[in-house]
């Protein structure tokens, strides 16, 4: 299936941003997030950052570059979304009082009818919305493949290219239909051999292992309650043979924990371990219900976690032990999760949510997570989940020029930034003081307006407007697709 391309903005040339606060997120750890500048510069050339620092850009930096005045703004690395199901944009607002299993049971019969054009419309709208909330790299975990349709996986990849985001599509699969004791209807599950072949084909066609890649594919069977142990094991072997990363859902709800203990005589984490699904090449969505042994095992094996606070709260699933995971050395990224379980899908909002839910859950209360740690989750933690530390998630020379420039001089943000003083530090490396704390304004405050979003040095958002696709047309397309799916 072919989809029309929008005209690209075509000015990804050299660029200098000056006079802005900068949080580089270039530190060694989540509790030491690195250098910050009160009024600094970022120089971009050839899609990469060539200079970052305090004061004006060096004389002669990027000759002929476009210059952007960042006065009143905070520059951060572009945010990284580590878990999503873009097609669910079409089924928001349903099953409002349901827990995960009931919610899935209500929605599967609708999703069974989805086609490539609908996925493309939902992905364009969803990725456009993500870009407008500061996201420069997103995943999409797609596991609904109606029989005979071969264009569904490609449809989201085409949408990401149009919107201009770096994209990590995760080829999902399910082989445990209702008749075999699973949750999904039989017509939407694949046979194990069929799923393995289609996943290998998706990697062969779309995965780009080269530095600076715009598309990298992960192997991602859906979850332990919709996938057989045979397929989970063979998918892990396939991914490792192809040199790509592994992703799935794990330990999301109490129901899943009980199901796993009942059917496998294991906790979800023990079961994943037994299947070869813990390791440095694995990132797992949710991980709400982990015991101490599981946290230790994740740390020892180098397994990463995609934390999805809004979705977990919406479905009443619980709150992941983020503080414990971070202290154990487990990389944790942020995810908006599917549009039908988060309903919001703004990644900047997840910084705020992560901060709040960690403080509600933990006996350490307000010390459970700082504003800078929340920003670390959305940047460095995300890069670790996707195996891209050293490429994205921090602002330093040589990194890809994925940059978000937030306005923190609005009425709401300015008040937080300027009032943040030495008596209210938001983290060990906080520069809060008489000149304020723009990171606190970004994370504690309402979502900040986006002045500029660069992906590989190319502007995708400018002054709050998407530059790559017509958002009104995307909204019309997604409305039409939703109506078609509902009939
Ligand atoms: Zn999910």
């Amino acid at each position: 299936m072919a989809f029309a391309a929008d005209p690209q903005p075509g000015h990804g040339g050299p660029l200098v941003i000056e006079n802005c606060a900068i949080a580089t997120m270039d530190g060694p750890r989540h509790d030491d997030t690195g250098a910050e500048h009160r009024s600094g510069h970022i120089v971009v050339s050839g899609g990469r950052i060539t200079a970052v620092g305090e004061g004006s850009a060096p004389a002669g930096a990027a000759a002929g570059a476009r210059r952007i005045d960042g006065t009143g703004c905070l520059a951060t690395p572009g945010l990284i979304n580590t878990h999503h199901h873009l097609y669910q944009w079409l089924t928001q607002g349903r099953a409002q009082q349901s827990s995960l299993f009931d919610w899935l049971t209500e929605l599967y019969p609708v999703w069974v009818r989805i086609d490539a054009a609908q996925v493309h419309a939902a992905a364009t709208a969803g990725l456009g919305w993500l870009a407008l909330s500061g996201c420069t790299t997103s995943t999409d975990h797609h596991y609904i493949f109606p029989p005979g349709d071969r264009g569904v996986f490609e449809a989201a990849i085409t949408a990401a290219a149009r919107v201009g985001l770096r994209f990590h599509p995760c080829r999902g699969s399910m082989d445990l239909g209702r008749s075999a004791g699973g949750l999904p209807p039989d017509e939407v599950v694949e046979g194990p051999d069929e799923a393995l072949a289609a996943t290998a084909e998706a990697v062969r066609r779309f995965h780009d292992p080269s530095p600076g890649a715009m598309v990298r594919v992960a192997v991602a069977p859906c979850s332990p309650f919709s996938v057989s142990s045979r397929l989970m094991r063979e998918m892990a072997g396939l991914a490792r043979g192809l040199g790509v990363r592994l992703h799935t859902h794990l330990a999301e709800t109490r129901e899943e924990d009980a199901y796993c203990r009942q059917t496998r005589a294991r906790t979800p984490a023990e079961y994943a371990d037994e299947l070869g699904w813990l390791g440095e090449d694995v990132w797992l969505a949710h991980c709400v219900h982990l015991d101490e042994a599981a946290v230790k095992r994740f740390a020892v094996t180098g397994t990463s976690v995609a934390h999805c606070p809004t979705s977990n709260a919406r479905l009443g699933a619980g709150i992941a032990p983020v503080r414990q995971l971070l202290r154990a050395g487990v990389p944790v990224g942020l995810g908006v999760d599917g549009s039908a379980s988060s309903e919001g899908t703004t990644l900047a909002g997840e910084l705020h949510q992560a901060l709040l839910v960690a403080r509600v859950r933990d006996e350490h209360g307000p010390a459970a997570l700082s504003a800078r740690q929340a920003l670390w989750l959305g940047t460095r933690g995300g890069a670790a989940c996707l195996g891209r530390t050293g490429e994205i998630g921090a602002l330093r020379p040589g990194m890809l020029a994925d940059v978000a420039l937030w306005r923190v001089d609005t009425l709401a943000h300015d008040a937080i930034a300027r009032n943040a003083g030495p008596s209210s530090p938001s983290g060990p490396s906080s520069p809060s003081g008489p000149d304020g704390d723009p990171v606190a304004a970004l994370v504690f405050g309402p979502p900040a307006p986006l002045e500029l979003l660069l992906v590989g040095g190319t502007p995708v958002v400018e002054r709050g407007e998407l530059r790559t696709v017509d958002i009104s047309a995307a909204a019309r397309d997604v409305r039409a697709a939703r109506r078609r799916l509902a009939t």
Side-chain angles (χ1 to χ4, degrees):
M1 172 147 214
F3 301 100
D6 289 86
Q8 293 296 304
H11 48 80
L15 194 142
V16 176
I17 307 170
E18 288 178 301
N19 308 319
C20 55
I22 302 171
T24 65
M25 305 310 288
D26 192 22
R29 293 185 310 276
H30 64 88
D31 54 358
D32 181 2
T33 54
E36 296 186 11
H37 306 291
R38 292 189 185 284
S39 179
H41 65 271
I42 300 171
V43 181
V44 169
S45 184
R48 290 187 181 263
I49 295 168
T50 57
V52 181
E54 186 65 46
S56 301
R66 179 182 173 201
R67 300 188 97 82
I68 290 170
D69 180 6
T71 301
C73 295
L74 166 68
T76 69
L79 303 183
I80 297 165
N81 178 26
T82 60
H83 186 64
H84 203 351
H85 313 285
L86 287 162
Y87 73 93
Q88 291 181 11
W89 189 280
L90 302 171
T91 55
Q92 291 185 53
R94 299 187 185 219
Q96 293 173 18
Q97 306 296 114
S98 298
S99 62
L100 176 69
F101 282 12
D102 293 340
W103 176 88
L104 283 169
T105 304
E106 180 169 334
L107 286 168
Y108 273 133
V110 183
W111 295 340
V112 164
R113 301 195 301 272
I114 207 157
D115 64 26
Q118 291 163 342
V119 169
H120 184 261
T124 304
L127 290 165
W129 187 240
L130 278 169
L132 290 167
S133 69
C135 173
T136 48
T137 298
S138 183
T139 54
D140 177 42
H141 187 185
H142 193 93
Y143 50 85
I144 301 284
F145 295 93
D149 192 324
R150 292 286 170 262
V152 165
F153 192 70
E154 187 174 354
I157 295 173
T158 314
R162 285 181 64 199
V163 175
L165 295 196
R166 221 173 281 288
F167 197 45
H168 284 233
C170 307
R171 208 294 179 180
S173 48
M174 304 188 288
D175 70 336
L176 272 186
R178 217 166 275 160
S179 62
L183 274 185
D186 286 353
E187 58 265 44
V188 83
V189 304
E190 298 172 289
D193 293 337
E194 187 190 353
L196 284 159
T199 303
E201 175 68 3
V203 174
R204 190 192 64 73
R205 282 187 68 196
F206 301 111
H207 181 72
D208 178 1
S210 63
M214 289 301 285
V215 179
R216 289 208 183 139
V217 178
V219 169
C222 185
S223 68
F225 52 84
S226 58
V227 180
S228 66
S229 52
R230 175 200 154 188
L231 188 57
M232 290 295 293
R233 274 200 187 90
E234 292 189 12
M235 282 291 183
L238 176 73
R240 288 177 177 133
L242 294 171
V244 300
R245 295 182 74 74
L246 296 81
H247 181 51
T248 192
H249 295 94
L250 199 83
E252 182 172 355
T253 64
R254 287 209 166 75
E255 286 166 292
E256 180 191 333
D257 192 76
Y259 174 89
C260 224
R261 288 173 193 268
Q262 196 184 348
T263 59
R264 318 281 184 197
R266 307 270 186 283
T267 66
E270 288 167 346
Y271 181 51
D273 203 357
E274 187 181 293
L275 296 173
W277 270 81
L278 298 185
E280 284 182 353
D281 53 0
V282 182
W283 88 103
L284 300 168
H286 304 303
C287 301
V288 172
H289 301 283
L290 296 182
D291 56 20
E292 221 172 285
V295 171
K296 274 194 194 137
R297 190 72 190 128
F298 277 38
V300 167
T301 55
T303 308
S304 308
V305 169
H307 175 42
C308 307
T310 299
S311 170
N312 295 153
R314 194 280 202 192
L315 290 170
I319 301 171
V322 170
R323 184 174 192 272
Q324 289 82 344
L325 288 164
L326 290 176
R327 287 174 69 85
V330 176
V332 180
L334 288 180
V336 298
D337 201 3
S339 314
S341 62
S342 66
E343 310 288 2
T345 323
T346 75
L347 191 48
E350 297 303 295
L351 302 175
H352 185 75
Q353 294 286 66
L355 181 84
L356 299 188
V357 301
R359 292 171 175 213
V360 169
R361 181 191 196 279
D362 198 272
E363 73 269 21
H364 295 85
L369 200 74
S370 71
R372 281 164 179 75
Q373 284 175 307
L375 185 56
W376 188 93
L377 299 178
T379 54
R380 291 289 295 279
C385 284
L386 302 186
R388 300 198 75 163
T389 301
E391 279 198 299
I392 56 176
L395 303 178
R396 72 162 174 268
M399 302 285 282
L400 294 168
D402 292 5
V403 183
L405 189 65
W406 312 88
R407 287 230 76 89
V408 288
D409 59 353
T410 69
L411 185 62
H413 298 94
D414 188 60
I416 302 169
R418 290 194 186 283
N419 286 335
S423 64
S424 56
S426 61
S429 58
S430 166
S432 60
D435 294 319
D437 183 352
V439 174
L442 175 68
V443 178
F444 279 90
L450 198 57
E451 180 68 18
L452 180 72
L453 187 77
L454 300 178
V455 180
T458 299
V460 171
V461 176
E462 289 197 59
R463 288 176 292 284
E465 290 187 7
L466 202 56
R467 295 294 307 272
T468 48
V469 301
D470 177 344
I471 199 72
S472 306
R476 272 198 307 277
D477 290 348
V478 83
R479 264 186 224 113
R482 192 172 57 225
R483 276 197 299 272
R484 215 153 46 77
L485 187 64
T487 53

